[in-house]
Structure formats: structure tokens, C-alpha cells
């Protein structure tokens, strides 16, 4: 880091502390003065734990209809849930400029330690939250709960509620689509009114302004399951596209048009509201969209949270641009474009940072927490084009049958082989659309001899991939978490449960590196890291239409280090 760069870094770090109260030892046990009349309608949250620090969060809604000046509340952090051993306390101010949200960055804590915290106004106390600092030195086990894609109008956040019932998470990872930007009548809103999840009148359109984004976060935070999970464990979160708008890339988005105003102003509003409402410590301050950052869980794992969306992504390729009116696909032109060495998901700065950070990280496991699937998921072109027409069951079974036969060693005709080998990536919004950058990353990981684990969200379905380089060498493992409520492939392809299970089995046959997928259930993923291996468990619930739910299925895989 040059001096100049260091100075600007310090400036950025100071900018963070302008709006976030940082608790230092001097502040410890200071007497709260003049707490305001507030209500804590959105619960509490904690996040971005370090070995000696954690962010505490709440929103203090002023009860005075026309509040003037800032609102002041007090906070306490204790060793026990009954607050008989309060270790730290202080006051924090907030106001309309940050939507009455408050963050305290509590410092000077002990590693690998559970703490309890709460906020108080003059008249009311917040619920109690539970949090935990990261371990340092030797640690034998880390357990993470991993989520993505919670869409309020699509259903109740029972998946969060299920995870909140466990009390042994070291941290919760949220891989994005924490909110969705659509208005009434938009994506996944069909059942909303019927199940009591309609968007409120004052926030029922597509969100565009800072006020719109803030109200959307407030709405989502009324969900009991989400409040319970935030209160149960520290979050480590990144955004995906819908925290801004669908299919965001560095210069725009699929769901942003010129008549919706300047894209960068919208993005700045989205980023501001995200930082206000999430218990996060943005590495370059709260006005900078740089969100990528690392967490060290003792000597067992290093977690690198990436941004494959906002900061560096080149625009997605579109299959439609390679298809003629008759539905013929120009495989050659497409293959040339997708193999362009300049295409990037991360952007140059983030890629450099990741390379350096991976090189110096010594943990047994190197985990990339990010949005989109990294595994190679190529499907026969004719199957892909049929998906565009809503799917073709017979064709799907025929191709799966052919692939199964070839795997059994049966002789296929030249034409049959051609049908299987003429394959293209299924999802161009994922790493498959940026294949050269992925291969570069794989080679770096191989050269450095790291145990790579990638976690992904975004697709609404569950996946387990072997990550292999272009020469077929194993580079790592990928675990994809299903959505909390957003509809998955079963909805796009109008599959009933049996057909969705059948297709899931078929996909694992058709796609070489795919080991498991679930295409129809909502849930989350628990990953347990140990010194000699990993255990992944996908947990599924039975419904999202009411808050009465049950855990109905799970799937577990283990991977031992050799
Ligand atoms: Fe999503």
C-alpha cells in the first residue's frame, strides 16, 4: 500500500466511524443519558464478527410523530442472557439521515465467545440478541448456516425460523437477494394477497428511491422468522442482484430502464439502504459499494465474501442473441464470445485482492462466499432451447437416457454423441458465462495448493458440484443453497414434485460435475468444517404459505480430505 493509498484508506475508515458508533474501552460502562421514546419494531441483529469485535444493530423508531433532532438509545452487552454480568454498555444516536437505524461496533471482546446484547429507549427495551466472536488459533469445528433469496410476497420466511431454532451456528452467511425490488404484480407476487404477504400500499411499486428501498427493508424485517434468526447468530452478508435490481452488472441491469432515472443514483440508494439495515462493517465506509472482505475462523477456515454483481461484472451474454427465428442456435459464435479472455465477474481490483488474499491465507479451508454458481453446468443445446419453450419432457428423458447409456459404456452412434456433446452453459449469469476468469482462479488455487470450497445462492435450488479445471482436475467443491421462498426450477418448468425429482436425478446424469441437486424445495444449507473433512446438509421445509411449517426432508453429504 502506498502512502497515498494508505491515507485514503484511513480517510475511508474514519468515514465509517462517522455514522457507526465504535465502542472503545474508554466508552465502556458510560451512563446512558436522555434515552428517547422509541419502539424496536424490527428486532436486533449482529454481524461481521471478528476475534475481538462484532457489529450490533437495531432500528429505534421514534414515537414522537414529529421528532426533532437525533434519537438516543442505550445498549448493553453481557456474558449471560439475564444481563447479570454486563461487560460493556454505552449510548448511540441515530436520526432520519440513517433511517433511525443504529450500529455499534463493539471492540475489545474475547475470541470464540458468546455474548448477549440489547438496546433500551426511555420506555422500551429491545428483544435480546445472541452473538459470537470468531475463534483465533486452533479450532476443531466451525458450523455455518447459509441462505439466499428470501422474497416476501412469495411466502413466509419459515426457513429462517427453522435455522433460528438451533443454537450452535458460528455464523450465518447470507449470499444475497435478501430483498426483491419488484412491485405488485411483479415476479413471485401471485400468491401474496391470498397468504397475507401483499406489499403495503406505500411501497407497492418497484423500488427506485432511497425511501423505497428503506421501506422494503423495513417490510422484510417485520417477518418473525427473519427477526428470530438475526437475534440468534451473527450474520455475514453480501448482496446479489435484487438488493439493487434484477441481473445487475457494473454498468446497468436487466430490470433498469432509462425512464427509471440514472442507474448509478439508484444503485447508490440501494447500497445506502443495505448498509443501514444490515449488520455489516463495509470495508471502505458506508458510501463505498466495495463489499468484498475476509473473515478468519482461527486456523480452520478463511472466508472470503465476494461481490460478483455490483462492482466489476461485465454485462451478461444472452442466448436470444445467438438464436435465429427458427430457434437454431449459433454454437460457434456463442462459444467464441463466452471464451473471451477479457470477460470478468469480479473486476480487476477485486480479482487482484482475491489472489493476494488467498495466497496469504493459511486456514485449512479457503471458502468463497459468493452469489452465482461456479460449477460447470453445460446442457445439450437442444435441451436448452427446449427450456426456452417451457421444457419438453420427452426430449429431456431421451437425452438423459442417451447419457446414461454412454456412462454404462454402451456404444452410441455418431449422431447421438453429437447431440450430447453439442452442449452450452445453462446459466450465462453464473461463472459459466465468464469461463476464462474462472479457469484463471482455478489455476491460482491449484498452484497455491488450497482446499477450496465455494458457496453460492442465486438459483433458488440446491446444488453440489465438483469443481474441475479445463483438464478435468479436481480444484474444489461447491455447495449451492436453495432459496428461502423464491420459486425455483419447478416453477419455471411447471413441474410437479415427481417430475422435479426425476429431472434432478437426470441433471446429475447429464451434467458431469454435478453430484446432487434439488429442484423443488425451499430450505437452507448447514456446512460443518472439521480438520479432516466437511459435512454439508440441506434442510427443507414443507410450505411457505403460512407460519405453520415442518422440516420435512434433508440431504447430507460428507467429504473427507485425503
Ligand atoms: Fe434470487
Amino acid at each position: 500500500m502506498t502512502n497515498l493509498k494508505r491515507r485514503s484508506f484511513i480517510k475511508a475508515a474514519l468515514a465509517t466511524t462517522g455514522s457507526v458508533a465504535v465502542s472503545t474501552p474508554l466508552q465502556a460502562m458510560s451512563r446512558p443519558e436522555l434515552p428517547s421514546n422509541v419502539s424496536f419494531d424490527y428486532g436486533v441483529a449482529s454481524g461481521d464478527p471478528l476475534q475481538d469485535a462484532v457489529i450490533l444493530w437495531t432500528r429505534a423508531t421514534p414515537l414522537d410523530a414529529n421528532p426533532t433532532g437525533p434519537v438516543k438509545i442505550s445498549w448493553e452487552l453481557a456474558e449471560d442472557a439475564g444481563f447479570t454480568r454486563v461487560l460493556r454498555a454505552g449510548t448511540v444516536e441515530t436520526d432520519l439521515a440513517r433511517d433511525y437505524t443504529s450500529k455499534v461496533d463493539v471492540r475489545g471482546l474475547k475470541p470464540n465467545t458468546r455474548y448477549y446484547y440489547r438496546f433500551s429507549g426511555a420506555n422500551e427495551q429491545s428483544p435480546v440478541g445472541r452473538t459470537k466472536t470468531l475463534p483465533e488459533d486452533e479450532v476443531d469445528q466451525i458450523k455455518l448456516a447459509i441462505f439466499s433469496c428470501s422474497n416476501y410476497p412469495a411466502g413466509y420466511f419459515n426457513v429462517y425460523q427453522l435455522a433460528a431454532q438451533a443454537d450452535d451456528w458460528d455464523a450465518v452467511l447470507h449470499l444475497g437477494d435478501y430483498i426483491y425490488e419488484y412491485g405488485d404484480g411483479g415476479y413471485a407476487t401471485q400468491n401474496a394477497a391470498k397468504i397475507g404477504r401483499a406489499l403495503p400500499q406505500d411501497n407497492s411499486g418497484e423500488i427506485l428511491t432511497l425511501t423505497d428501498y428503506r421501506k422494503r427493508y423495513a417490510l422484510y424485517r417485520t417477518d418473525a422468522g427473519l427477526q428470530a434468526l438475526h437475534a440468534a447468530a451473527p450474520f455475514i452478508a453480501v448482496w446479489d442482484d435484487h438488493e439493487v435490481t434484477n441481473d445487475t452488472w457494473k454498468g446497468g441491469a436487466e430490470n433498469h430502464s432509462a425512464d427509471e432515472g440514472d442507474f448509478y443514483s439508484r444503485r447508490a440508494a440501494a447500497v445506502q439502504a443495505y448498509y443501514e439495515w444490515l449488520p455489516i462493517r463495509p470495508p471502505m465506509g458506508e458510501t463505498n459499494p466495495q463489499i468484498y472482505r475476509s473473515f478468519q475462523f482461527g486456523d480452520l477456515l478463511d472466508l472470503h465474501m465476494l461481490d460478483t454483481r455490483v462492482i466489476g461484472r461485465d454485462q451478461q451474454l444472452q442466448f436470444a442473441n445467438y438464436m435465429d427465428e427458427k430457434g437454431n442456435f449459433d454454437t460457434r459464435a456463442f462459444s467464441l464470445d463466452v471464451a473471451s479472455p477479457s470477460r470478468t465477474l469480479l473486476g480487476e481490483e477485486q480479482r487482484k485482492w482475491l489472489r493476494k488474499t488467498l495466497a496469504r491465507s493459511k486456514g485449512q479451508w479457503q471458502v468463497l462466499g459468493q452469489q452465482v454458481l461456479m460449477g460447470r453446468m453445460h446442457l445439450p443445446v437442444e435441451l436448452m432451447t427446449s427450456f426456452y419453450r417451457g421444457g419438453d419432457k420427452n426430449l429431456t428423458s431421451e437425452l438423459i437416457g442417451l447419457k446414461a447409456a454412454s456412462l454404462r459404456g454402451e456404444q452410441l452412434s455418431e449422431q447421438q454423441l453429437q447431440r450430447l456433446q453439442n452442449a452450452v452453459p445453462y446459466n450465462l449469469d453464473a461463472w459459466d458465462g465468464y469461463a476464462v476468469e474462472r479457469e484463471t482462479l482455478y489455476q491460482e488455487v491449484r498452484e497455491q495448493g488450497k482446499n477450496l470450497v465455494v458457496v453460492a445462492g442465486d438459483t433458488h435450488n440446491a446444488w453440489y458440484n465438483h469443481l474441475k479445471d479445463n483438464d478435468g482436475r479436481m480444484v474444489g467443491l461447491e455447495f449451492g443453497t436453495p432459496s428461502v421462498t423464491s420459486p425455483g426450477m419447478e416453477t419455471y418448468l411447471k413441474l410437479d414434485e415427481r417430475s422435479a425429482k426425476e429431472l434432478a436425478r437426470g441433471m446429475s446424469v447429464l451434467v458431469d460435475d454435478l453430484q446432487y441437486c434439488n429442484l423443488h424445495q425451499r430450505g437452507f444449507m448447514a456446512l460443518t468444517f472439521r480438520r479432516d473433512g466437511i459435512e454439508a446438509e440441506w434442510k427443507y421445509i414443507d410450505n411457505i404459505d403460512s407460519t405453520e411449517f415442518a422440516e420435512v426432508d434433508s440431504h447430507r453429504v460428507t467429504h473427507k480430505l485425503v
Side-chain angles (χ1 to χ4, degrees):
M1 208 185 256
T2 63
N3 274 341
L4 192 68
K5 274 193 180 152
R6 185 174 296 126
R7 265 204 304 280
S8 53
F9 175 76
I10 291 168
K11 238 164 101 185
L14 286 175
T16 317
T17 61
S19 47
V20 178
V22 177
S23 101
T24 63
L26 286 175
Q27 263 184 301
M29 306 303 290
S30 67
R31 301 298 306 168
E33 5 161 27
L34 291 176
S36 311
N37 279 320
V38 296
S39 61
F40 297 100
D41 302 327
Y42 307 96
V44 295
S46 72
D48 278 18
L50 303 174
Q51 279 77 19
D52 64 345
V54 69
I55 300 269
L56 308 182
W57 179 99
T58 197
R59 184 182 195 266
T61 307
L63 293 180
D64 178 353
N66 294 303
T68 52
V71 159
K72 191 177 248 187
I73 53 174
S74 62
W75 60 271
E76 298 165 278
L77 178 127
E79 276 179 334
D80 63 313
F83 289 81
T84 59
R85 297 188 301 281
V86 174
L87 298 172
R88 311 290 296 279
T91 58
V92 59
E93 280 186 4
T94 182
D95 58 20
L96 188 58
R98 53 180 304 112
D99 200 16
Y100 295 102
T101 63
S102 292
K103 286 185 197 175
V104 184
D105 195 352
V106 186
R107 304 276 173 160
L109 301 177
K110 282 189 288 189
N112 209 21
T113 304
R114 177 172 283 190
Y115 295 102
Y116 299 82
Y117 61 95
R118 67 186 174 195
F119 294 84
S120 303
N123 54 312
E124 188 176 304
Q125 217 154 45
S126 76
V128 172
R130 185 170 70 205
T131 192
K132 195 178 175 189
T133 48
L134 299 188
E136 60 179 12
D137 306 328
E138 266 186 41
V139 53
D140 294 330
Q141 179 178 297
I142 292 294
K143 205 168 169 189
L144 304 175
I146 306 178
F147 302 82
S148 73
C149 300
S150 39
N151 185 317
Y152 182 95
Y156 289 89
F157 296 158
N158 297 333
V159 169
Y160 290 141
Q161 189 71 263
L162 175 65
Q165 290 163 12
D167 69 349
D168 59 346
W169 306 118
D170 287 289
V172 165
L173 266 52
H174 203 292
L175 303 177
D177 290 358
Y178 184 96
I179 59 159
Y180 281 76
E181 81 277 16
Y182 300 101
D184 255 354
Y187 170 73
T189 59
Q190 297 79 351
N191 279 338
K194 199 171 82 193
I195 61 173
R197 297 283 271 190
L199 295 168
Q201 255 178 10
D202 68 346
N203 192 233
S204 62
E206 181 177 330
I207 51 176
L208 298 168
T209 66
L210 178 59
T211 305
D212 296 340
Y213 279 97
R214 284 171 165 174
K215 283 183 177 168
R216 192 58 57 92
Y217 281 99
L219 171 69
Y220 276 54
R221 277 293 182 81
T222 59
D223 183 277
L226 181 52
Q227 285 197 13
L229 186 58
H230 270 303
F235 269 50
I236 297 175
V238 281
W239 47 56
D240 194 2
D241 50 339
H242 291 285
E243 283 85 351
V244 182
T245 186
N246 185 47
D247 283 359
T248 295
W249 56 283
K250 71 180 173 203
E254 179 273 334
N255 192 23
H256 184 83
S257 50
D259 63 347
E260 292 173 326
D262 174 51
F263 172 72
Y264 293 103
S265 308
R266 181 182 189 180
R267 192 180 86 170
V271 166
Q272 181 178 339
Y274 184 86
Y275 285 160
E276 285 171 355
W277 279 81
L278 272 290
I280 181 174
R281 186 187 296 109
M284 299 300 281
E286 291 204 318
T287 54
N288 189 321
Q290 183 189 312
I291 197 172
Y292 57 85
R293 63 209 192 281
S294 287
F295 298 86
Q296 192 186 343
F297 290 72
D299 63 352
L300 191 60
L301 80 89
D302 293 294
L303 170 66
H304 313 293
M305 300 297 281
L306 305 182
D307 173 5
T308 64
R309 278 291 172 197
V310 167
I311 222 164
R313 174 191 278 256
D314 287 330
Q315 189 166 14
Q316 297 85 344
L317 297 176
Q318 301 294 338
F319 281 116
N321 295 340
Y322 301 88
M323 228 156 354
D324 67 17
E325 318 81 63
K326 288 185 190 141
N328 297 314
F329 188 75
D330 187 345
T331 311
R332 197 167 167 274
F334 171 77
S335 303
L336 274 175
D337 286 352
V338 82
S340 159
S342 64
R343 287 184 62 68
T344 178
L345 262 188
L346 299 175
E348 202 184 331
E349 213 172 296
Q350 183 176 193
R351 200 166 58 234
K352 273 191 200 155
W353 168 85
L354 180 60
R355 187 188 312 135
K356 276 193 206 154
T357 307
L358 276 174
R360 66 162 179 261
S361 296
K362 299 278 190 289
Q364 173 87 345
W365 301 97
Q366 296 299 310
V367 182
L368 304 184
Q370 51 96 57
Q371 298 77 16
V372 290
L373 280 182
M374 191 175 280
R376 187 183 287 108
M377 200 156 309
H378 288 198
L379 292 176
V381 168
E382 54 184 309
L383 189 60
M384 279 300 306
T385 49
S386 85
F387 280 174
Y388 265 70
R389 299 188 301 270
D392 176 341
K393 242 183 128 182
N394 293 336
L395 176 69
T396 310
S397 325
E398 189 192 352
L399 288 164
I400 292 168
L402 281 180
K403 182 64 187 274
S406 93
L407 290 175
R408 286 195 301 270
E410 288 174 28
Q411 190 78 33
L412 298 191
S413 73
E414 197 54 40
Q415 194 235 1
Q416 287 171 325
L417 278 175
Q418 265 291 315
R419 292 179 71 190
L420 289 178
Q421 284 161 3
N422 188 15
V424 285
Y426 152 68
N427 183 356
L428 295 175
D429 189 50
W431 282 87
D432 259 340
Y434 304 78
V436 176
E437 185 173 49
R438 174 176 64 190
E439 186 66 12
T440 308
L441 172 64
Y442 283 176
Q443 293 317 322
E444 285 163 11
V445 167
R446 273 178 49 79
E447 280 158 24
Q448 294 167 10
K450 305 291 186 187
N451 293 318
L452 178 71
V453 172
V454 174
V455 292
D458 184 63
T459 68
H460 307 171
N461 295 118
W463 311 91
Y464 172 37
N465 284 314
H466 283 171
L467 300 178
K468 291 184 181 166
D469 70 6
N470 286 342
D471 296 324
R473 293 176 296 205
M474 225 10 213
V475 181
L477 305 172
E478 176 172 55
F479 301 96
T481 193
S483 65
V484 173
T485 61
S486 292
M489 207 184 263
E490 81 288 356
T491 303
Y492 304 127
L493 298 178
K494 302 188 183 69
L495 306 173
D496 59 21
E497 189 179 331
R498 222 189 87 220
S499 318
K501 283 181 175 169
E502 231 172 76
L503 181 62
R505 275 194 298 273
M507 289 276 283
S508 315
V509 175
L510 270 177
V511 179
D512 291 327
D513 299 344
L514 178 63
Q515 310 300 307
Y516 161 77
C517 64
N518 176 308
L519 304 179
H520 71 289
Q521 281 174 301
R522 313 281 76 85
F524 77 102
M525 195 166 71
L527 281 192
T528 307
F529 293 83
R530 300 194 183 89
R531 209 145 285 283
D532 62 346
I534 308 176
E535 184 180 296
E537 188 177 16
W538 289 265
K539 290 170 177 284
Y540 303 107
I541 54 153
D542 62 348
N543 86 92
I544 54 173
D545 295 341
S546 84
T547 51
E548 298 289 311
F549 74 98
E551 182 186 351
V552 281
D553 281 309
S554 68
H555 181 80
R556 192 183 290 210
V557 299
T558 53
H559 172 83
K560 285 274 173 218
L561 274 183
V562 278

